[in-house]
Amino acid sequence: RAHYERIARVIGRVVRDQARAEELAADVFVKWQRNGGQSGDLAEGWLYRTAVRGAIDEWRRQARRERFEGLFSASCEAPLVTT
């Protein structure tokens, strides 16, 4: 439980959306279980590293989505040129 809250906070600082951070934190723990669920210091380091990488990936997805949505909305607003 203590690890989950820490992981969710770390992710939340990157993605700036607490609900999405909690979803990503749950994904981190699912990955942890699938990979054998180490314990002790190894688990804490693995969880933290995986959380940061997942948060950065999510941040990149959001930035890419916003960029393409901006391009799409600009192209939809432009008048069609017919000759």
Side-chain angles (χ1 to χ4, degrees), residues 10-61:
V10 166
I11 296 170
R13 282 192 294 255
V14 176
V15 299
R16 300 184 185 264
D17 178 358
Q18 195 57 39
R20 185 64 182 138
E22 291 176 6
E23 292 172 0
L24 292 170
D27 291 345
V28 168
F29 281 92
V30 168
K31 288 179 186 178
W32 180 62
Q33 285 294 331
R34 287 183 183 161
N35 287 316
Q38 303 167 354
S39 61
D41 290 339
L42 291 176
E44 190 172 349
W46 190 94
L47 289 168
Y48 183 81
R49 186 176 63 247
T50 304
V52 169
R53 288 178 179 170
I56 291 170
D57 288 346
E58 178 64 19
W59 179 77
R60 287 176 179 154
R61 272 191 292 275

Side-chain angles (χ1 to χ4, degrees), residues 60-74:
R60 287 176 179 154
R61 272 191 292 275
Q62 289 175 352
R64 189 171 34 251
R65 185 178 314 118
E66 289 172 5
R67 187 172 60 242
F68 285 123
E69 286 176 354
L71 290 173
F72 181 72
S73 65

